[in-house]
Amino acid sequence: MGRALLLVMDSFGIGQAPDAGAYGDLGADTYGHIAQAAAHGEADRPGLRQGPLRLPNLCALGLDAAAGRGAPASLRGRYGSASEVSRGKDTPSGHWEIAGVPVSFDWGYFPRSVPALPAALTAALVQEAGLPGFLGNRHASGTEIVAELGADSVASGKPIVYTSADSVLQIAAHEAHFGLERLYGLCTIARRQVDALRIGRVIARPFTDTPSGGFTRTANRRDYSVPPPEPTLADRVVAAGGKVIGIGKIGDIFAHRGISETRKGAGNMALFDAMLGAMDDARDGDLIFANFVEFDSLFGHRRDVVGYAAALEAFDARLPELFARLRPGDLAVITADHGCDPTFAGTDHTRENVPILMFGPGIQPGAIGHRDSFADIGESVAAHLGLAPGRHGHSFL
């Protein structure tokens, strides 16, 4: 038994899931459509990237084969794909299922009407938090609504509230004028208020000024999630005496249950640095659980095909650093939690299969086929770490 690493490329789906039609996502294919756009010259941007999508390290691990796009000339990992059984297609569902706990209940959602939030909820928030009111209160893209209402929010002292197709309430406010800690306090209140509505996450979305006079969201985002309904892989690692180092928003996603330590970073490359640092510190029996959020937040939701392609290539280029730090007995898995096809209709997550790319010094290359639940990923990591089988999923080791 060595260490285990779980790397979640947030939103990197590899084609429509079997039940995509039930979610309005027939034809979604995050990876396939980005690769297609790049092959046709539609993902070129001078100074950023150009030409076909180049992911040599991910493809050597079996990415193309997992996505049904052909086998690699040489293979250095075990590959496959998985479908989600959890209801919904948002971040907690995907991550909890990866960690061995599928979501069997229905999340609550806010309607597309305007206002989107119930009057009783906004009134309770205004009263308890001592606010002059809210702006927004509708389904919206976070970047667009901050650009539209940021100045009004600063002038009036009213935070911006909005939602999406996910089970989420997002609250945006200026870091300096409203106050970062005040925003966190407001989200803590909101988390308690929306529990009865079964809302999965409340997200603090602080923003600040840009030199050009607009606004930009900062890296001080914080997610307030409901806790998983039963012990996850992370809880089981800690119970066995191991340590779980969460990279990025992993701690928030799991309501900090089973997370021994959290390390943050402003963007995918900083998160990759944080993960490499964790590898220097982790011991046998420990789990490093990393989320790379920018694929989703900066490129999928914003329908930025060029940016997504460049981010994939940048991530791929860092993988040799990960390979070099693996020790005998280590296991690493690269996967995703859902899709967010930047070429698809709308700006929401897409119900897609995800890749499973498993590698390490003792891992024999080959195919594991298609898995019917993300929970098989968590159970395979658990088996590697010598943990007893959980209630959901089956190891493919």
Side-chain angles (χ1 to χ4, degrees):
M1 174 184 66
R3 307 169 301 174
L5 293 90
L6 264 173
L7 286 68
V8 180
M9 298 175 68
D10 201 312
S11 86
F12 188 50
I14 56 171
Q16 66 179 39
D19 59 357
Y23 293 85
D25 291 334
L26 286 176
D29 184 354
T30 300
Y31 174 41
H33 288 153
I34 293 170
Q36 183 179 44
H40 293 163
E42 298 166 358
D44 292 352
R45 185 178 298 164
L48 182 62
R49 71 159 314 279
Q50 62 182 10
L53 190 63
R54 296 177 178 87
L55 305 176
N57 295 300
L58 286 167
C59 288
L61 294 173
L63 174 60
D64 278 345
R69 298 173 59 85
S74 61
L75 183 67
R76 66 174 300 167
R78 302 188 71 188
Y79 67 89
S81 59
S83 300
E84 186 174 5
V85 298
S86 295
R87 301 179 185 179
K89 51 181 179 179
D90 48 16
T91 296
S93 298
H95 281 76
W96 293 358
E97 189 169 329
I98 289 169
V101 180
V103 174
S104 60
F105 55 86
D106 290 317
W107 294 106
Y109 300 91
F110 293 114
R112 290 192 174 273
S113 57
V114 180
L117 277 61
L121 172 60
T122 53
L125 289 172
V126 164
Q127 180 177 3
E128 186 170 352
L131 297 171
F134 288 104
L135 300 174
N137 199 351
R138 64 179 187 265
H139 281 242
S141 158
T143 52
E144 292 175 1
I145 201 167
V146 167
E148 176 189 349
L149 299 177
D152 288 344
S153 177
V154 170
S156 66
K158 299 177 181 179
I160 303 165
V161 297
Y162 60 102
T163 186
S164 70
D166 294 334
S167 181
V168 65
L169 169 61
Q170 306 203 54
I171 306 179
H174 196 284
E175 281 196 359
H177 294 281
F178 189 85
L180 185 60
E181 293 302 323
R182 186 182 177 203
L183 175 60
Y184 291 159
L186 171 58
C187 289
T188 300
I189 294 170
R191 173 67 271 167
R192 186 173 64 253
Q193 295 281 0
V194 300
D195 280 349
L197 302 177
R198 304 187 314 281
I199 300 300
R201 287 180 296 164
V202 174
I203 304 179
R205 288 289 198 177
F207 61 88
T208 190
D209 304 276
T210 65
S212 61
F215 300 100
T216 185
R217 297 191 299 188
T218 76
N220 291 320
R221 160 185 173 155
R222 186 173 293 179
D223 293 36
Y224 298 79
S225 299
V226 294
E230 60 184 271
T232 67
L233 170 66
D235 295 304
R236 293 155 62 192
V237 170
V238 171
K243 182 168 66 173
V244 178
I245 304 176
I247 307 297
K249 64 178 184 177
I250 290 295
D252 291 344
I253 293 168
F254 288 88
H256 296 275
R257 301 281 180 89
I259 308 301
S260 311
E261 179 185 345
T262 293
R263 302 188 185 188
K264 298 277 190 174
N268 280 356
M269 295 301 97
L271 292 168
F272 208 101
D273 290 337
M275 181 189 68
L276 295 178
M279 292 182 72
D280 292 339
D281 300 332
R283 300 180 177 180
D284 286 354
D286 291 348
L287 169 65
I288 299 170
F289 201 163
N291 172 279
F292 295 90
V293 66
E294 284 189 336
F295 298 116
D296 187 50
S297 63
L298 289 189
F299 310 118
H301 285 302
R302 300 188 192 185
R303 299 175 59 81
D304 184 352
V305 178
V306 180
Y308 208 133
L312 288 171
E313 292 173 337
F315 179 87
D316 186 271
R318 299 292 304 271
L319 288 177
E321 299 174 67
L322 166 59
F323 300 155
R325 279 177 167 82
L326 291 172
R327 304 171 187 165
D330 284 351
L331 172 73
V333 182
I334 297 175
T335 188
D337 53 341
H338 49 68
C340 195
D341 186 343
T343 74
F344 206 65
T347 61
D348 298 321
H349 294 157
T350 42
R351 185 77 164 185
E352 296 185 45
N353 296 326
V354 302
I356 302 172
L357 309 177
M358 175 180 288
F359 54 99
I363 302 301
Q364 294 299 312
I368 60 172
H370 182 76
R371 315 301 294 193
D372 293 330
S373 171
F374 294 0
D376 289 3
I377 301 169
E379 287 310 304
S380 300
V381 173
H384 171 76
L385 293 175
L387 305 177
R391 295 179 55 223
H392 312 282
H394 304 279
S395 171
F396 43 74
L397 285 181

